[in-house]
Protein backbone atom coordinates (compact mmCIF):
# COMPACT_ATOMS: atom_id res chain seq x y z
CA UNK A 1 0.00 0.00 0.00
CA UNK A 2 1.27 3.45 -0.92
CA UNK A 3 0.92 6.39 1.47
CA UNK A 4 1.23 10.10 0.67
CA UNK A 5 2.15 12.87 3.09
CA UNK A 6 2.45 16.50 2.06
CA UNK A 7 2.64 20.14 3.02
CA UNK A 8 2.89 23.38 1.05
CA UNK A 9 6.51 22.62 0.08
CA UNK A 10 6.54 18.97 -0.99
CA UNK A 11 4.71 15.66 -1.33
CA UNK A 12 6.24 12.35 -0.27
CA UNK A 13 5.15 8.81 -1.13
CA UNK A 14 6.20 5.70 0.81
CA UNK A 15 4.91 2.13 0.86
CA UNK A 16 4.11 -0.32 3.63
CA UNK A 17 6.22 -3.06 2.00
CA UNK A 18 9.64 -2.53 3.51
CA UNK A 19 8.68 1.01 4.61
CA UNK A 20 10.39 2.10 1.42
CA UNK A 21 10.47 5.76 0.44
CA UNK A 22 9.32 6.07 -3.18
CA UNK A 23 9.05 9.75 -4.05
CA UNK A 24 9.94 13.24 -2.93
CA UNK A 25 8.39 15.84 -5.19
CA UNK A 26 8.44 19.59 -4.63
CA UNK A 27 5.31 21.71 -4.90
CA UNK A 28 6.51 22.73 -8.38
CA UNK A 29 6.50 19.06 -9.42
CA UNK A 30 10.24 18.33 -9.42
CA UNK A 31 11.11 14.74 -8.42
CA UNK A 32 14.38 14.16 -6.55
CA UNK A 33 14.23 10.43 -5.80
CA UNK A 34 15.27 7.78 -8.30
CA UNK A 35 12.24 6.05 -9.83
CA UNK A 36 12.72 2.29 -9.99
CA UNK A 37 14.07 0.87 -13.25
CA UNK A 38 15.24 -2.77 -13.23
CA UNK A 39 17.68 -1.97 -16.06
CA UNK A 40 19.73 -0.12 -13.45
CA UNK A 41 18.29 -0.81 -9.98
CA UNK A 42 14.76 -1.86 -9.02
CA UNK A 43 14.78 -0.07 -5.65
CA UNK A 44 14.51 3.51 -4.48
CA UNK A 45 15.30 3.53 -0.75
CA UNK A 46 15.52 0.15 1.04
CA UNK A 47 15.89 0.07 4.84
CA UNK A 48 18.99 -1.78 6.08
CA UNK A 49 18.44 -3.74 9.33
CA UNK A 50 19.73 -5.75 11.18
CA UNK A 51 22.66 -6.21 8.79
CA UNK A 52 24.45 -4.14 6.16
CA UNK A 53 26.19 -5.52 3.10
CA UNK A 54 26.65 -8.77 1.27
CA UNK A 55 26.63 -12.06 3.17
CA UNK A 56 29.32 -14.30 1.61
CA UNK A 57 28.51 -16.85 4.28
CA UNK A 58 26.07 -17.14 7.18
CA UNK A 59 26.08 -14.36 9.76
CA UNK A 60 27.40 -15.54 13.13
CA UNK A 61 25.79 -14.23 16.34
CA UNK A 62 27.23 -15.47 19.64
CA UNK A 63 28.75 -18.50 17.91
CA UNK A 64 25.64 -19.59 15.99
CA UNK A 65 25.28 -19.20 12.21
CA UNK A 66 22.18 -17.63 10.66
CA UNK A 67 21.18 -17.33 7.00
CA UNK A 68 20.82 -13.55 7.05
CA UNK A 69 19.74 -11.94 3.74
CA UNK A 70 21.89 -9.24 2.12
CA UNK A 71 21.21 -5.94 3.89
CA UNK A 72 18.98 -7.72 6.41
CA UNK A 73 15.27 -8.50 6.21
CA UNK A 74 13.39 -5.32 7.14
CA UNK A 75 13.50 -4.13 3.51
CA UNK A 76 11.14 -7.02 2.68
CA UNK A 77 8.94 -6.86 5.80
CA UNK A 78 5.28 -5.91 5.91
CA UNK A 79 4.75 -2.72 7.92
CA UNK A 80 1.51 -1.35 9.34
CA UNK A 81 0.51 2.28 9.82
CA UNK A 82 0.85 3.12 13.53
CA UNK A 83 0.14 6.83 13.25
CA UNK A 84 -0.60 9.25 10.44
CA UNK A 85 -1.39 12.89 9.81
CA UNK A 86 -1.23 15.15 6.76
CA UNK A 87 2.53 15.70 6.94
CA UNK A 88 3.86 12.60 8.71
CA UNK A 89 3.37 8.85 9.00
CA UNK A 90 4.75 6.19 11.35
CA UNK A 91 5.13 2.63 10.04
CA UNK A 92 5.99 -0.33 12.26
CA UNK A 93 6.94 -3.99 12.10
CA UNK A 94 8.32 -6.54 14.52
CA UNK A 95 9.69 -10.00 15.11
CA UNK A 96 8.03 -12.98 13.42
CA UNK A 97 8.84 -16.67 13.11
CA UNK A 98 10.65 -15.83 9.86
CA UNK A 99 12.83 -13.13 11.45
CA UNK A 100 13.61 -15.25 14.53
CA UNK A 101 15.03 -17.92 12.23
CA UNK A 102 17.77 -15.51 11.10
CA UNK A 103 17.93 -13.02 13.99
CA UNK A 104 17.15 -14.45 17.45
CA UNK A 105 15.69 -11.33 19.07
CA UNK A 106 12.34 -9.76 19.84
CA UNK A 107 12.06 -6.20 18.58
CA UNK A 108 9.85 -3.47 17.18
CA UNK A 109 11.15 -1.44 14.25
CA UNK A 110 9.52 1.81 13.18
CA UNK A 111 10.06 4.15 10.26
CA UNK A 112 8.77 7.71 10.51
CA UNK A 113 8.54 10.07 7.54
CA UNK A 114 7.92 13.68 8.54
CA UNK A 115 7.90 16.82 6.43
CA UNK A 116 9.28 19.90 8.17
CA UNK A 117 8.96 22.66 5.61
CA UNK A 118 10.85 21.43 2.52
CA UNK A 119 12.92 18.99 4.62
CA UNK A 120 12.00 15.31 4.86
CA UNK A 121 13.07 13.80 8.19
CA UNK A 122 13.38 10.00 8.20
CA UNK A 123 13.65 8.29 11.60
CA UNK A 124 14.35 4.60 12.12
CA UNK A 125 13.32 3.52 15.61
CA UNK A 126 14.58 0.31 17.25
CA UNK A 127 13.03 -1.15 20.42
CA UNK A 128 14.70 -4.18 22.00
CA UNK A 129 12.00 -6.39 23.51
CA UNK A 130 14.36 -9.27 24.26
CA UNK A 131 15.61 -10.08 27.77
CA UNK A 132 19.22 -9.62 26.62
CA UNK A 133 21.27 -7.01 24.78
CA UNK A 134 20.59 -6.92 21.03
CA UNK A 135 23.38 -6.30 18.48
CA UNK A 136 22.54 -4.98 15.01
CA UNK A 137 23.67 -2.91 12.06
CA UNK A 138 21.42 -0.20 10.64
CA UNK A 139 21.38 2.16 7.69
CA UNK A 140 19.52 3.94 4.92
CA UNK A 141 19.90 3.59 1.15
CA UNK A 142 18.02 6.45 -0.60
CA UNK A 143 18.79 7.04 -4.28
CA UNK A 144 18.70 10.51 -5.83
CA UNK A 145 18.56 11.47 -9.46
CA UNK A 146 22.00 12.48 -10.67
CA UNK A 147 21.91 14.44 -12.89
CA UNK A 148 18.91 16.32 -11.54
CA UNK A 149 18.23 18.53 -14.57
CA UNK A 150 17.81 17.77 -18.25
CA UNK A 151 20.99 18.40 -20.24
CA UNK A 152 23.30 17.85 -17.26
CA UNK A 153 25.63 14.90 -16.70
CA UNK A 154 26.54 12.69 -13.72
CA UNK A 155 30.18 13.79 -13.97
CA UNK A 156 29.20 17.44 -13.51
CA UNK A 157 28.12 16.72 -9.94
CA UNK A 158 30.15 16.66 -6.76
CA UNK A 159 29.81 15.82 -3.10
CA UNK A 160 30.64 18.70 -0.78
CA UNK A 161 31.21 17.92 2.91
CA UNK A 162 30.61 20.21 5.86
CA UNK A 163 34.07 19.28 7.18
CA UNK A 164 36.35 21.91 5.65
CA UNK A 165 39.36 19.58 5.58
CA UNK A 166 37.49 17.01 3.45
CA UNK A 167 37.88 17.78 -0.25
CA UNK A 168 34.98 17.86 -2.67
CA UNK A 169 34.45 14.51 -4.38
CA UNK A 170 33.88 15.08 -8.11
CA UNK A 171 31.80 12.17 -9.36
CA UNK A 172 33.23 9.75 -11.91
CA UNK A 173 31.69 6.35 -12.63
CA UNK A 174 34.98 4.38 -12.32
CA UNK A 175 35.35 5.39 -8.66
CA UNK A 176 32.46 3.00 -7.93
CA UNK A 177 33.92 0.01 -9.83
CA UNK A 178 34.84 -1.62 -6.50
CA UNK A 179 31.41 -0.96 -4.95
CA UNK A 180 30.50 1.83 -2.53
CA UNK A 181 32.77 4.68 -1.46
CA UNK A 182 32.71 5.03 2.33
CA UNK A 183 33.57 8.02 4.52
CA UNK A 184 34.33 7.64 8.23
CA UNK A 185 35.23 10.00 11.07
CA UNK A 186 33.38 13.04 9.78
CA UNK A 187 32.96 15.75 12.38
CA UNK A 188 29.96 17.35 10.69
CA UNK A 189 27.53 14.78 9.33
CA UNK A 190 26.27 16.86 6.45
CA UNK A 191 26.96 16.43 2.76
CA UNK A 192 25.61 18.14 -0.35
CA UNK A 193 25.10 16.52 -3.75
CA UNK A 194 25.29 19.49 -6.09
CA UNK A 195 26.07 20.52 -9.66
CA UNK A 196 29.57 21.96 -9.92
CA UNK A 197 28.40 25.12 -11.71
CA UNK A 198 24.96 25.90 -10.34
CA UNK A 199 25.63 24.41 -6.87
CA UNK A 200 22.01 23.29 -6.85
CA UNK A 201 21.03 19.85 -5.60
CA UNK A 202 20.25 18.40 -2.20
CA UNK A 203 21.59 18.72 1.33
CA UNK A 204 21.73 15.45 3.27
CA UNK A 205 22.14 15.31 7.07
CA UNK A 206 22.80 12.12 9.06
CA UNK A 207 23.39 13.11 12.73
CA UNK A 208 22.88 9.66 14.26
CA UNK A 209 25.02 7.63 11.85
CA UNK A 210 28.75 7.00 12.17
CA UNK A 211 29.62 6.65 8.48
CA UNK A 212 28.19 7.49 5.08
CA UNK A 213 28.58 5.54 1.83
CA UNK A 214 27.95 6.56 -1.77
CA UNK A 215 26.95 4.05 -4.43
CA UNK A 216 25.80 3.69 -7.99
CA UNK A 217 25.64 0.36 -9.87
CA UNK A 218 28.97 -0.89 -11.20
CA UNK A 219 29.63 -0.18 -14.89
CA UNK A 220 26.05 0.82 -15.72
CA UNK A 221 26.42 4.61 -16.01
CA UNK A 222 23.22 4.87 -13.99
CA UNK A 223 21.56 8.30 -13.65
CA UNK A 224 21.42 8.26 -9.86
CA UNK A 225 23.55 8.21 -6.73
CA UNK A 226 22.71 6.60 -3.40
CA UNK A 227 23.62 8.40 -0.19
CA UNK A 228 23.76 5.75 2.53
CA UNK A 229 24.07 6.64 6.23
CA UNK A 230 25.38 3.58 8.09
CA UNK A 231 26.05 2.28 11.57
CA UNK A 232 27.87 -0.94 10.82
CA UNK A 233 30.90 -2.27 9.03
CA UNK A 234 33.38 -0.94 6.54
CA UNK A 235 34.08 -2.05 2.98
CA UNK A 236 37.13 -4.11 3.99
CA UNK A 237 35.06 -6.01 6.56
CA UNK A 238 32.66 -7.66 4.10
CA UNK A 239 34.24 -11.16 4.42
CA UNK A 240 33.87 -11.07 8.22
CA UNK A 241 30.27 -11.96 9.02
CA UNK A 242 30.63 -12.25 12.80
CA UNK A 243 28.08 -9.63 13.80
CA UNK A 244 29.65 -8.65 17.11
CA UNK A 245 33.02 -8.11 15.40
CA UNK A 246 31.67 -5.69 12.82
CA UNK A 247 32.94 -2.14 13.08
CA UNK A 248 30.27 0.28 14.35
CA UNK A 249 27.96 -2.55 15.45
CA UNK A 250 25.17 -1.19 17.62
CA UNK A 251 24.19 -2.76 20.93
CA UNK A 252 20.85 -1.98 22.55
CA UNK A 253 20.17 -3.07 26.14
CA UNK A 254 17.05 -5.07 26.97
CA UNK A 255 13.89 -2.98 27.07
CA UNK A 256 15.50 0.14 25.59
CA UNK A 257 14.81 2.12 22.42
CA UNK A 258 16.99 4.20 20.11
CA UNK A 259 16.33 6.45 17.11
CA UNK A 260 18.47 6.95 14.00
CA UNK A 261 17.73 10.03 11.91
CA UNK A 262 18.63 11.34 8.49
CA UNK A 263 17.06 14.12 6.46
CA UNK A 264 17.35 15.82 3.11
CA UNK A 265 16.05 18.90 1.31
CA UNK A 266 16.67 20.75 -1.95
CA UNK A 267 19.42 23.34 -1.85
Amino acid sequence: MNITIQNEHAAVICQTLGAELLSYRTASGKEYLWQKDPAYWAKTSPVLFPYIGAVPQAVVIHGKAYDMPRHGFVKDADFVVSEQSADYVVLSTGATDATRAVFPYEFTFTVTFRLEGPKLLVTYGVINQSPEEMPFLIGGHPAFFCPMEEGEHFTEYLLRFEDEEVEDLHLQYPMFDNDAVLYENLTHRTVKLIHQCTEKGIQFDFPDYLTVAFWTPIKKDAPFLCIEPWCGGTMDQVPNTHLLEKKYVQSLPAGQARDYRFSFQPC
Side-chain angles (χ1 to χ4, degrees):
M1 180 176 70
N2 288 0
I3 299 165
T4 299
I5 60 171
Q6 58 189 348
N7 61 14
E8 65 271 26
H9 299 279
V12 169
I13 301 173
C14 63
Q15 65 179 13
T16 51
L17 177 60
E20 186 175 10
L21 178 62
L22 301 178
S23 173
Y24 172 98
R25 192 180 295 269
T26 62
S28 65
K30 180 174 178 56
E31 178 65 71
Y32 280 85
L33 283 170
W34 165 248
Q35 299 300 288
K36 303 179 180 185
D37 181 351
Y40 295 104
W41 191 50
K43 293 284 189 179
T44 295
S45 183
V47 182
L48 315 183
F49 178 87
Y51 199 79
I52 294 174
V55 185
Q57 55 186 333
V59 172
V60 177
I61 307 174
H62 292 300
K64 185 174 179 180
Y66 296 90
D67 291 328
M68 179 75 68
R70 178 186 178 92
H71 287 326
F73 50 74
V74 161
K75 67 186 187 304
D76 301 310
D78 291 320
F79 282 71
V80 298
V81 177
S82 297
E83 193 175 341
Q84 184 176 6
S85 187
D87 59 359
Y88 78 93
V89 64
V90 182
L91 307 176
S92 65
T93 191
T96 65
D97 288 344
T99 69
R100 295 180 191 105
V102 297
F103 186 66
Y105 298 95
E106 299 297 312
F107 65 90
T108 294
F109 190 94
T110 63
V111 178
T112 302
F113 298 105
R114 184 184 299 272
L115 280 166
E116 298 178 348
K119 178 172 69 176
L120 178 65
L121 176 62
V122 182
T123 305
Y124 297 163
V126 185
I127 304 172
N128 180 10
Q129 295 167 319
S130 297
E132 69 272 4
E133 201 165 57
M134 182 175 73
F136 58 89
L137 312 181
I138 188 169
H141 204 309
F144 299 93
F145 276 120
C146 185
M148 298 181 188
E149 300 289 349
E150 188 174 350
E152 295 178 346
H153 302 281
F154 183 89
T155 52
E156 295 170 354
Y157 278 74
L158 59 86
L159 292 163
R160 177 163 294 162
F161 298 87
E162 192 77 4
D163 289 28
E164 294 183 357
E165 68 276 12
V166 180
E167 295 183 358
D168 292 348
L169 181 66
H170 291 263
L171 298 183
Q172 301 288 334
Y173 283 116
M175 67 177 54
F176 301 99
D177 284 353
N178 294 316
D179 211 345
V181 175
L182 183 74
Y183 279 75
E184 305 176 77
N185 305 314
L186 294 173
T187 301
H188 303 287
R189 295 172 187 169
T190 295
V191 63
K192 292 180 179 179
L193 172 62
I194 54 176
H195 189 272
Q196 62 188 8
C197 295
T198 67
E199 297 199 349
K200 290 184 178 180
I202 62 158
Q203 176 175 315
F204 191 95
D205 297 280
F206 50 105
D208 300 317
Y209 293 88
L210 301 173
T211 69
V212 63
F214 305 98
W215 176 84
T216 193
I218 297 171
K219 298 185 185 302
K220 287 190 175 182
D221 291 0
F224 68 87
L225 182 75
C226 291
I227 302 178
E228 306 179 40
W230 289 357
C231 285
T234 53
M235 302 312 297
D236 60 330
Q237 280 194 308
V238 171
N240 180 5
T241 54
H242 288 257
L243 182 57
L244 274 68
E245 296 176 7
K246 300 291 279 189
K247 195 171 184 180
Y248 307 121
V249 64
Q250 301 294 284
S251 188
L252 190 60
Q256 292 197 14
R258 189 177 300 156
D259 287 342
Y260 297 82
R261 298 162 296 161
F262 68 83
S263 65
F264 64 85
Q265 59 186 316
C267 65

